[in-house]
Amino acid sequence: MAEQIKPGTTFRDDRGEVAQLHGVGVIRVGERWYAWGEDKRAGSTFTAIASYSSADLASWRYEGDALDASCDHEGTGDLGPGRIVERPKVLARPDGRFVMLLHIDSADYSDARVGWAIADEPAGPYRYLGGERPFGNLSRDIGVFQDGDHAYLLSEDRDHGLHIYRLTDDFCAIAALVATTLKDDGSHGYESPTVVRAEGRYFLFGSDLTGWSTNDNMYATADDLAGPWSPWRPFAPVGTSTFDSQVSVVLPVDTAAGARHVYLGDRWQRDALADSPAVWLPLTIADGRARLEWRDQWSLSDLV
Ligand code: GAL
């Protein structure tokens, strides 16, 4: 039987340790999946971003740390003790290099910037380039999205909403603001954003702003990233708080039967963040709707 993914448990890496796949980012490179996660073993503040790889999203090989304090060659202090460095998301640049975007913050989350790092190999080590507030806007939880040679940053700014920014051709700076979305009641935008393109349209996912606590995550659709975006809808059974998890990524997976999607979420344990279980489940996108159903265990080979 193929190695099983068990939602609501942690992954063990090839060393037998709890895989630090928190706030995960994942991309396919050649025959393997590469994933980067927040190493929370020292608590909520930064020590490292860990790299892993896998052939099946179920068993994970530790590939070393992508980023730690020694990667801050520019001396920005962004990767120093007591800092927040979250939600590593990597883009494969057409020239073969890898660009990592991160939520960079102070321990009280008042800094609210996006940071960039670059590497020649997916696992790293990455060189930290610095961070900024895009066009002066707050930037906390982030996601990224690649559409051919174009790449986008999704960034939560509670003053204005959830922004979609287009990146420059080298993916290392912001080129333009593409859209800003708000909750249907207009109060603020969703966070922990991720986008996929399916059925000829864009599906944007996010969670409400409840910190480490979970909520009923939502999604909206649009024919164009610039919008107009539809009203928001839940994709998991209402009242389950997205099976007690917060979306990090919706991952497209190619199968013999076509494109499928996997929901990668975190069930944060605020007093033991390093042991926060992963809630990873197949996500069905059909007829313009996204739907998440519980499974006790499953494997990529089930996605047909
Ligand atoms: C959440 C966010 C997490 C983490 C947490 C801290 O809103 O999604 O990544 O920053 O707040 O309370």
Side-chain angles (χ1 to χ4, degrees):
M1 189 161 86
E3 183 92 21
Q4 300 291 296
I5 296 169
K6 296 183 178 145
T9 68
T10 51
F11 292 101
R12 294 267 161 188
D13 67 17
D14 57 325
R15 304 168 301 173
E17 295 189 19
V18 174
Q20 296 299 300
L21 289 164
H22 313 297
V24 74
V26 185
I27 59 172
R28 180 93 177 166
V29 183
E31 294 299 301
R32 293 182 74 79
W33 300 98
Y34 277 80
W36 301 266
E38 303 161 17
D39 182 342
K40 293 289 202 211
R41 287 174 302 168
S44 57
T45 53
F46 177 71
T47 53
I49 297 295
S51 293
Y52 300 86
S53 78
S54 174
D56 57 7
L57 298 181
S59 55
W60 290 95
R61 185 166 79 204
Y62 173 63
E63 299 280 359
D65 285 344
L67 210 59
D68 61 27
S70 72
C71 300
D72 188 3
H73 301 295
E74 308 295 322
T76 63
D78 284 2
L79 308 185
R83 299 285 299 178
I84 298 289
V85 179
E86 294 180 335
R87 302 200 176 278
K89 301 287 181 278
V90 171
L91 294 161
R93 210 163 68 172
D95 70 352
R97 300 187 84 189
F98 296 86
V99 177
M100 179 182 286
L101 284 82
L102 302 137
H103 172 189
I104 296 292
D105 227 318
S106 45
D108 62 359
Y109 287 92
S110 62
D111 230 7
R113 287 185 286 130
V114 58
W116 275 269
I118 191 160
D120 293 329
E121 301 293 333
Y126 285 74
R127 184 164 65 88
Y128 185 67
L129 301 173
E132 68 175 87
R133 284 188 175 180
F135 303 123
N137 293 330
L138 298 176
S139 181
R140 290 200 176 87
D141 282 2
I142 61 155
V144 295
F145 176 61
Q146 201 161 348
D147 217 1
D149 283 352
H150 289 293
Y152 299 85
L153 164 69
L154 318 168
S155 154
E156 189 272 319
D157 161 14
R158 55 207 62 191
D159 287 350
H160 301 100
L162 167 59
H163 300 296
I164 302 175
Y165 300 103
R166 188 165 48 75
L167 300 178
T168 51
D169 289 347
D170 66 1
F171 299 175
C172 287
I174 308 284
L177 176 63
V178 174
T180 302
T181 63
L182 290 165
K183 284 178 62 167
D184 290 347
D185 67 9
S187 54
H188 52 252
Y190 288 99
E191 69 174 8
S192 200
T194 183
V195 162
V196 293
R197 182 168 161 79
E199 300 188 312
R201 70 179 81 171
Y202 298 90
F203 289 71
L204 170 62
F205 300 80
S207 78
D208 210 343
L209 312 185
T210 56
W212 300 122
S213 305
T214 52
N215 53 67
D216 286 332
N217 293 186
M218 305 287 270
Y219 76 103
T221 60
D223 293 335
D224 192 297
L225 283 176
W229 287 91
S230 72
W232 295 84
R233 298 190 194 101
F235 52 91
V238 172
T240 68
S241 293
T242 328
F243 299 121
D244 192 12
S245 71
Q246 179 186 29
V247 62
S248 187
V249 166
V250 174
L251 180 68
V253 174
D254 285 329
T255 74
R260 297 289 182 268
H261 294 89
V262 179
Y263 167 91
L264 313 180
D266 293 291
R267 182 176 291 170
W268 298 111
Q269 308 293 301
R270 77 178 67 229
D271 298 321
L273 289 167
D275 297 322
S276 299
V279 177
W280 292 13
L281 287 162
L283 178 92
T284 305
I285 295 182
D287 304 323
R289 299 285 173 121
R291 198 178 71 247
L292 198 65
E293 283 170 12
W294 183 258
R295 296 197 199 183
D296 288 336
Q297 56 176 32
W298 62 284
S299 77
L300 266 191
S301 55
D302 300 339
L303 298 186
V304 288

